[in-house]
Amino acid sequence: MIVEVCFMSPKTISGMSNNGNDFPFVIEGSAPNNVVDFLFDDADPFQVVPAWMVNINRFPIYIYVEIFEFQKDEFEQLCNAHNIEYETLNIKNKRDGAYKATVKNNQSFNAIFPYLYSTGSMNNVALWSLEKDVFSLGKREFKTIFGKRKLHTPIVSLEDNSSVFWVGFDGQHITAISNSKLFSSAEHISNHFPLTISILPAGNEVGEIHN
């Protein structure tokens, strides 16, 4: 199986985003060195991503996820069944919900990742970070068609050696935003990818980089 990777310019991240066009959240703190899109057209993310997180082995993993009202009971039952600690957060739309959760081992991540990916595919915000809780909510300035406005938004406060993952719009890709060497090159990424997966940098031919 092949996963295509696309290295984006760190300039993609800025203190002021185009609301809804780039990322549905704000990045603050330490500047990211690496912004990498992972496209799973030829691989199953439900198999690849949990194995990938096990290989990276930087637990606990912290989660921020926004869900629809009808999903709240299901999400809480899932967390309780797998000993995942969680807390609720208040977002602007009171009918829907936001949660932060702490995943302490690979079994718990295996259980919750399908939920993260499916809710992210519905264009709700689904994020996770390695080892550090970097998530909060607040008002920040965005560019909109009506000019600059302060909007309530998830905030990712990067620290040194931070790595954050986002399930992209419609679940078409997963983006890693990081200032860790783990994501500095295709070679570094392939070192912690599952052995059954080949990394294909965008624009290269299949087979150029393998584990």
Side-chain angles (χ1 to χ4, degrees):
M1 292 187 290
I2 299 167
V3 173
E4 185 175 353
V5 297
C6 178
F7 291 87
M8 303 165 63
S9 169
K11 293 180 181 179
T12 304
I13 305 294
S14 64
M16 183 182 295
S17 300
N18 292 316
N19 186 28
N21 293 333
D22 298 323
F23 301 100
F25 51 89
V26 168
I27 301 289
E28 297 182 343
S30 300
N33 299 320
N34 310 295
V35 181
V36 189
D37 278 350
F38 295 83
L39 289 80
F40 292 86
D41 293 341
D42 190 52
D44 182 356
F46 298 104
Q47 294 182 12
V48 175
V49 176
W52 182 20
M53 295 301 110
V54 170
N55 289 350
I56 292 177
N57 193 26
R58 292 197 175 178
F59 290 91
I61 288 175
Y62 294 91
I63 287 167
Y64 173 89
V65 61
E66 296 179 357
I67 63 176
F68 296 118
E69 182 181 20
F70 69 86
Q71 297 175 297
K72 290 180 180 179
D73 288 344
E74 180 184 13
F75 179 82
E76 293 180 7
Q77 290 172 11
L78 173 67
C79 290
N80 291 332
H82 296 278
N83 297 315
I84 298 171
E85 299 175 0
Y86 66 89
E87 62 177 298
T88 58
L89 302 172
N90 292 322
I91 58 176
K92 187 174 181 180
N93 185 347
K94 301 295 184 181
R95 293 176 300 171
D96 297 332
Y99 290 85
K100 289 195 342 182
T102 306
V103 175
K104 297 181 179 179
N105 54 55
N106 62 300
Q107 291 87 356
S108 297
F109 189 81
N110 287 345
I112 204 169
F113 174 72
Y115 196 94
L116 293 178
Y117 190 80
S118 61
T119 196
S121 298
M122 291 187 285
N123 292 337
N124 281 326
V125 181
L127 300 159
W128 70 94
S129 68
L130 304 181
E131 295 186 308
K132 302 174 182 179
D133 179 4
V134 298
F135 304 125
S136 62
L137 287 170
K139 283 190 173 182
R140 294 295 185 269
E141 196 170 58
F142 283 80
K143 291 178 181 177
T144 74
I145 58 174
F146 303 107
K148 298 176 184 178
R149 296 179 61 190
K150 281 194 173 182
L151 302 174
H152 205 61
T153 181
I155 300 166
V156 176
S157 300
L158 288 182
E159 302 176 9
D160 292 341
N161 202 31
S162 292
S163 296
V164 173
F165 302 83
W166 168 54
V167 180
F169 296 118
D170 300 321
Q172 294 183 349
H173 57 84
I174 290 175
T175 301
I177 302 167
S178 176
N179 47 32
S180 167
K181 289 183 179 180
L182 285 172
F183 298 92
S184 60
S185 68
E187 287 81 2
H188 279 93
I189 292 169
S190 66
N191 286 338
H192 51 78
F193 243 63
L195 292 175
T196 55
I197 303 299
S198 296
I199 297 296
L200 175 64
N204 287 351
E205 295 181 359
V206 174
E208 288 193 11
I209 294 179
H210 296 277
N211 287 356

